[in-house]
Amino acid sequence: MTVGVALNASDADNQVDASVRLAREAAEAGLHSAWFGQTFGADSPQLAALVGREVPGLQVGTSAIPVFGRHPLLVSSQAQTAQAATRGRYHLGLALGTRLITEGGFGLPFERPVARLREFLTALRQLTENGAADFRGELLTAVTPLPARVPGAEGGVPLLVAAMGPQALRVSGELADGILPYLAGPRALGDHIVPALVASAEAAGRPAPRVVALVHGVVTDDVEGVRRKATEQLAFYEQIPSYARVVELSGARRASDVAVIGDEKTVAAEIRRYRDAGATEVVFAGTEIAGEEDRRRTWALLGELAG
């Protein structure tokens, strides 16, 4: 199984330098990939490109860029540039976003998000695979009077979606290369998410998509203390209907209940549960929550499992 980590160096004096340092440490630990979230801070495709170029062999990706407030032509340029910079090791993650960020941050109505995702993916696939697009949808237009190919990115860009709901999974199975579910425990993956995704892909005549499970977790002896921190850190997601739903489908009450926190034996067993539920890859997020010593301890275990 491919195992990676989500890197968050937003509190560092220089986020780029700190991200490169952490990525090198991840690669030395035996991890396969490093992923970068997208908020209103650093541009995640650019950060992934810089890190991937500095750390050869490490897969890099974004998880995930909201489709609202972006355009396929511009996202394609970002993604292809990152793919060329990393010589084929970049993975683009997209998301529906949330009403809070879309309306509160961008001032855009959060309307028909799944329809927008479908059109965004359709146009983006044309651009990343062909270097050109001629797409006119209800919500988006993407036409290239000039070439849109970035030399060095001819192999295309893997397209993943942070999909967990039935409609988003249907679109992802038809049009994307995989999904990036977050806070979805093994029960939600095995009983709901993976079957719906695979059925959609099969109906579209496409191969089984990747399931890159983003897992909030850490190896630590201070289980109660770290769980309390996780409860505070993850409470935001409980206000978002899609996350609240998937937490409930996981058999949990709070988002922190889905977090994987414990010693090496406990964490390794939980990772196996994700694999058995259909995850093709596992990416650990939030490993910095318990401090540097436990983060390194976590990465050491993940590296062993990746090997």
Side-chain angles (χ1 to χ4, degrees):
M1 170 182 284
T2 299
V3 181
V5 287
L7 300 184
N8 180 6
S10 57
D11 293 334
D13 292 336
N14 186 307
Q15 186 172 356
V16 175
D17 290 346
S19 296
V20 170
R21 175 181 58 80
L22 288 170
R24 285 193 177 121
E25 187 176 331
E28 290 168 0
L31 295 165
H32 298 141
S33 63
W35 296 77
F36 302 90
Q38 180 66 59
T39 55
F40 294 136
D43 180 75
S44 58
Q46 187 174 7
L47 185 58
L50 290 167
V51 169
R53 194 166 181 84
E54 291 290 324
V55 188
L58 191 69
Q59 303 286 318
V60 291
T62 57
S63 58
I65 298 175
V67 295
F68 282 94
R70 273 82 172 179
H71 191 279
L73 283 167
L74 298 179
V75 173
S76 170
S77 295
Q78 289 179 297
Q80 289 189 72
T81 301
Q83 190 69 302
T86 60
R87 299 185 183 277
R89 289 178 284 114
Y90 175 71
H91 306 254
L92 172 63
L94 299 171
L96 296 175
T98 66
R99 185 176 300 278
L100 175 64
I101 292 176
T102 302
E103 296 184 348
F106 297 141
L108 299 172
F110 189 65
E111 297 175 351
R112 302 181 66 190
V114 175
R116 179 172 292 273
L117 174 65
R118 178 180 290 280
E119 294 192 3
F120 204 104
L121 281 169
T122 301
L124 189 59
R125 177 73 72 184
Q126 293 181 17
L127 289 161
T128 56
E129 291 189 351
N130 306 320
D134 185 9
F135 177 81
R136 294 171 176 84
E138 292 184 66
L139 305 173
L140 292 171
T141 294
V143 179
T144 49
L146 298 173
R149 164 65 68 211
V150 175
E154 287 80 3
V157 180
L159 305 180
L160 307 169
V161 179
M164 296 183 291
Q167 295 183 69
L169 288 169
R170 186 179 305 114
V171 172
S172 299
E174 294 174 9
L175 300 172
D177 298 304
I179 59 170
L180 293 157
Y182 179 48
L183 297 179
R187 183 188 299 181
L189 279 179
D191 293 348
H192 302 278
I193 293 175
V194 174
L197 178 71
V198 171
S200 176
E202 289 179 349
R206 305 189 70 238
R210 295 162 56 190
V211 179
V212 185
L214 272 73
V215 180
H216 197 91
V218 65
V219 175
T220 183
D221 293 326
D222 183 17
V223 176
E224 291 186 6
V226 173
R227 184 78 66 182
R228 283 195 298 271
K229 291 181 182 179
T231 299
E232 296 175 3
Q233 189 177 82
L234 299 175
F236 165 77
Y237 293 97
E238 297 166 8
Q239 306 170 46
I240 302 172
S242 59
Y243 286 106
R245 174 182 175 274
V246 81
V247 167
E248 183 179 359
L249 291 176
S250 300
R253 187 177 63 89
R254 303 292 305 270
S256 59
D257 295 337
V258 185
V260 176
I261 301 170
D263 60 14
E264 282 83 356
K265 183 178 179 180
T266 298
V267 171
E270 285 299 301
I271 290 177
R272 284 192 291 272
R273 289 185 65 214
Y274 276 91
R275 179 196 62 199
D276 294 342
T280 59
E281 303 158 56
V282 169
V283 174
F284 257 46
T287 58
E288 71 282 350
I289 191 173
E292 282 292 291
E293 182 178 345
D294 282 346
R295 178 187 65 76
R296 291 192 176 95
R297 184 178 168 187
T298 305
W299 287 18
L301 172 67
L302 297 177
E304 291 177 11
L305 295 174

